[in-house]
Amino acid sequence: MDSEFWIAELTDDDVPAVVSLCRAALDLPEDAAEAAEIVHRLRGTGGPATRRTAGFLALAPAEEKAWSEGAGEEVAATSNRVIGVVLGSVSHRDPSIGHIDLIAVDRRERRRGVARALVSRVEGALAGLGASDVVIAGNPPVYAWPGIDVRYTPAICAAMALGFEEDQPAWNMTADLETLGDTEADEARLAGRGVVVRGATPADGPALTDLAESNFGRQWAAEITDSTGCHVAVRDGSILGFAAYGSRPNWFGPMGTAPAAQGLGIGSVLLKRCLADQKKAGLTSVQIGWVGPMPFYSQVVGARVERVFFLYRKQL
């Protein structure tokens, strides 16, 4: 225990205080605005039930005034305040890898060793869960960001000071929704080839899961399940492709087309249909998270790279 702060395990009762901390401590306004969604998802209220996580708080004493009826006056009363948080999880793909999913420190409490103490504690917890490496990188299907946004200079400096080595970059793209074109002509063309594009229904669930797991991995199947909307392309009763949105309020993805159906133009129609839904919901732009085929999104909807992330790795 430090003379000015100490580390404690995070409990469900602490979540409201963690959300408040993140709203104030996350430097970028778009991240602060999603603090509640991010914390609740990382804590396990969304995504696979088997998710193995660890979470810790940095606490410091706070003096508050309380009314004493016996004395008839205000007296000092001591309580604790949350000045930092770290959330971690074990990789869904490789149980030897632990992820640091979120770390936030009160701006007034930085440069006091809070982040170092939190990272040390979560690394120990992840090692106890079997991890031999730890990464500062998203753990799909439940993640806040692919890595550290390049604009978070203090976080980048902290990662380097804590012994992490840069692994690889990643990026999100932003799609503006004001100039979306319609899909009628393309849908008619696909219909001429026996492909029907429509909104997904609950009955599509098993086939969607099978398509995603067979071609893209279990993480994508879980993201589809956790989405608020999904469109599919179907021919002869078989799903050839899908696109989903809403796993985060203003995010699009994942989307994928079966290898045998690629090149038909299915993906562009599915993408535009999802973005049209999000526009109807009142959004003016959406984030396409952790993008792979950058040229596709740029050409089809004019999406642009707007957030770039550094990913980091360290051997425990």
Side-chain angles (χ1 to χ4, degrees), residues 176-222:
D176 292 325
L177 305 184
E178 298 300 324
T179 58
L180 279 179
D182 65 58
T183 59
E184 291 183 10
D186 287 329
E187 289 190 43
R189 175 182 55 78
L190 288 172
R193 305 189 67 168
V195 179
V196 176
V197 183
R198 58 170 174 78
T201 68
D204 295 317
L208 272 170
T209 297
D210 182 64
L211 174 64
E213 290 187 348
S214 298
N215 295 281
F216 309 106
R218 291 191 305 167
Q219 293 77 19
W220 279 29

Side-chain angles (χ1 to χ4, degrees), residues 56-283:
F56 298 93
L57 301 174
L59 299 170
E63 187 177 272
E64 299 177 349
K65 294 295 184 179
W67 183 261
S68 171
E69 292 186 7
E73 60 184 10
E74 285 187 338
V75 297
T78 300
S79 62
N80 299 328
R81 59 190 177 93
V82 177
I83 63 171
V85 64
V86 65
L87 300 178
S89 62
V90 176
S91 172
H92 302 293
R93 298 176 181 175
D94 183 346
S96 71
I97 298 174
H99 289 253
I100 294 179
D101 298 312
L102 168 69
I103 183 165
V105 177
D106 187 314
R107 300 183 195 205
R108 300 165 297 179
E109 306 291 343
R110 294 175 183 175
R111 298 183 181 276
R112 294 180 49 206
V114 176
R116 181 177 293 275
L118 286 167
V119 169
S120 176
R121 183 64 67 88
V122 80
E123 286 178 349
L126 293 172
L129 292 172
S132 57
D133 284 59
V134 63
V135 296
I136 302 177
N139 186 10
V142 182
Y143 66 96
W145 312 278
I148 301 176
D149 190 297
V150 297
R151 292 169 290 178
Y152 277 113
T153 302
I156 292 171
C157 293
M160 296 171 67
L162 292 170
F164 286 87
E165 296 183 356
E166 190 173 329
D167 191 13
Q168 57 184 320
W171 45 82
N172 287 3
M173 299 183 79
T174 300
D176 292 325
L177 305 184
E178 298 300 324
T179 58
L180 279 179
D182 65 58
T183 59
E184 291 183 10
D186 287 329
E187 289 190 43
R189 175 182 55 78
L190 288 172
R193 305 189 67 168
V195 179
V196 176
V197 183
R198 58 170 174 78
T201 68
D204 295 317
L208 272 170
T209 297
D210 182 64
L211 174 64
E213 290 187 348
S214 298
N215 295 281
F216 309 106
R218 291 191 305 167
Q219 293 77 19
W220 279 29
E223 283 192 83
I224 295 170
T225 301
D226 202 35
S227 296
T228 57
C230 182
H231 290 264
V232 294
V234 181
R235 182 166 60 190
D236 297 330
S238 297
I239 296 179
L240 304 180
F242 63 88
Y245 63 90
S247 59
R248 292 264 289 277
N250 66 335
W251 281 43
F252 166 84
M255 69 171 292
T257 302
Q262 291 176 2
L264 298 179
I266 289 172
S268 61
V269 174
L270 292 171
L271 168 62
K272 289 180 180 179
R273 283 177 65 110
C274 287
L275 296 187
D277 283 355
Q278 292 179 284
K279 182 178 180 180
K280 289 177 184 176
L283 297 178

Side-chain angles (χ1 to χ4, degrees), residues 16-26 82-85 104-107:
V18 170
V19 170
S20 296
L21 169 71
C22 290
R23 283 179 177 146
L26 294 176
V82 177
I83 63 171
V85 64
V105 177
D106 187 314
R107 300 183 195 205

